[in-house]
Amino acid sequence: MGISALAGLLLVGGVVMSQDGAGSARAAGSGHGGTGQLGGSGWGGGGRGGAMLTVTGVSGNTITATTRQNQTVTITVTGSTKCGEAGQTVACNTIQTGEHIAVQGLKPGQTSITATSIQIVLPTDFGTVVTVTPSTITLKGRNNSTQTVIVNGSTRYQKGGQPASLTDVTPGTNVVAQGTSNSDGSITALLINIQVPTVMGKVTAMGTDSYTVAGFRGNTSFTVLTTGSTVYVNPNGSPAQQSAITDGTMISAQGTFSADGKTLTATRIVILPAFSGGPRSHHAPAPA
């Protein structure tokens, strides 16, 4: 699978959203194949939409990696560095040569960094579910191509950041599968993320139980409502505090839209690093 196949996508907290420049985010369903990426200037080494490093060596608390432009980057891991994979926290010493990673805070051209957060970036397939069996999910992606995702007892399922199960995966559902590549081109999934309506953008106003989130071009806004059950996380999936959200904070809120599509009741909010390109809002309609 080509590592550039998902350029233009943003993976935050296990949810893939389009950065297509049109201001409308799509839940997974526009294509498949490739290696999942974290976009945005806050992650990786290649800038927005293509931020990914390939690990070339690991020695003690030092990771050596290269960008897609073959620039070498030295990453120092400390006791406070948080590492994640497929929506779970993992030990940083599990990172191995040959794996793809994204490093929070790494800027284009930067050759060394003391990492605060590292994501192990797994092969990823995304698309619309066509068929489901106890052991396989068939997805339809871009150009009506199909992809087989193998599931087993080790596969985890999430929907809106909450635990789910294979029974939640039904034909017509949009999903993102992360896992390990097989020789026949299929993926054995570690995580199946069932896509839900999402609003992504910059908080411009705060209420007692709500946020106003600026739209992609600044001429649209959404209201994000919170409840006592709303979960707050960082991009690597680790718990975050609601108090970290202030005016100007970038967030990705997942939940349920009102009938008019302007208000989202959030089950989960991912607190994002700031994007150098300005406010971005992504409005994913509920899957059919």
Side-chain angles (χ1 to χ4, degrees), residues 5 45 69 91 105-106 113 115 178 194 210 232 248 284:
Q69 293 74 37
L106 186 66
I113 188 172
Q178 299 178 61
I194 302 165
S210 67
Y232 301 84

Side-chain angles (χ1 to χ4, degrees), residues 36-116:
Q37 300 179 44
L38 285 97
S41 59
W43 288 92
R48 184 163 54 248
M52 180 138 46
L53 304 172
T54 301
V55 177
T56 56
V58 180
S59 178
N61 66 341
T62 301
I63 299 171
T64 305
T66 57
T67 67
R68 286 185 291 177
Q69 293 74 37
N70 290 321
Q71 175 180 291
T72 298
V73 179
T74 301
I75 303 149
T76 301
V77 177
T78 70
S80 60
T81 303
K82 299 183 184 301
C83 294
E85 179 184 61
Q88 285 192 324
T89 299
V90 298
C92 293
N93 61 12
T94 62
I95 296 174
Q96 300 177 12
T97 298
E99 290 185 322
H100 300 295
I101 61 173
V103 182
Q104 187 171 13
L106 186 66
K107 297 177 175 59
Q110 190 173 350
T111 58
S112 64
I113 188 172
T114 298
T116 58

Side-chain angles (χ1 to χ4, degrees), residues 42-263:
W43 288 92
R48 184 163 54 248
M52 180 138 46
L53 304 172
T54 301
V55 177
T56 56
V58 180
S59 178
N61 66 341
T62 301
I63 299 171
T64 305
T66 57
T67 67
R68 286 185 291 177
Q69 293 74 37
N70 290 321
Q71 175 180 291
T72 298
V73 179
T74 301
I75 303 149
T76 301
V77 177
T78 70
S80 60
T81 303
K82 299 183 184 301
C83 294
E85 179 184 61
Q88 285 192 324
T89 299
V90 298
C92 293
N93 61 12
T94 62
I95 296 174
Q96 300 177 12
T97 298
E99 290 185 322
H100 300 295
I101 61 173
V103 182
Q104 187 171 13
L106 186 66
K107 297 177 175 59
Q110 190 173 350
T111 58
S112 64
I113 188 172
T114 298
T116 58
S117 184
I118 300 172
Q119 287 291 300
I120 299 172
V121 185
L122 296 174
T124 299
D125 279 312
F126 57 101
T128 302
V129 175
V130 179
T131 61
V132 183
T133 74
S135 59
T136 61
I137 300 171
T138 303
L139 304 180
K140 180 174 69 174
R142 184 176 293 122
N143 299 324
N144 291 320
S145 57
T146 60
Q147 178 71 16
T148 300
V149 177
I150 298 171
V151 296
N152 53 39
S154 298
T155 303
R156 294 180 293 109
Y157 302 85
Q158 287 186 352
K159 183 176 182 179
Q162 303 300 314
S165 68
L166 181 60
T167 59
D168 294 304
V169 181
T170 56
T173 303
N174 295 316
V175 303
V176 178
Q178 299 178 61
T180 57
S181 299
N182 301 312
S183 59
D184 61 0
S186 65
I187 277 184
T188 298
L190 294 175
L191 175 65
I192 301 288
N193 198 295
I194 302 165
Q195 297 296 277
V196 298
T198 300
V199 166
M200 176 180 167
K202 181 179 181 180
V203 174
T204 58
M206 301 175 58
T208 303
D209 297 304
S210 67
Y211 303 104
T212 301
V213 178
F216 180 74
R217 293 186 174 89
N219 56 1
T220 304
S221 64
F222 301 95
T223 299
V224 174
L225 303 179
T226 62
T227 70
S229 299
T230 303
V231 175
Y232 301 84
V233 298
N234 294 307
N236 66 354
S238 63
Q241 298 297 318
Q242 182 179 7
S243 58
I245 301 176
T246 60
D247 283 347
T249 300
M250 296 292 295
I251 66 171
S252 172
Q254 302 137 31
T256 304
F257 271 114
S258 59
D260 63 5
K262 295 181 179 180
T263 300

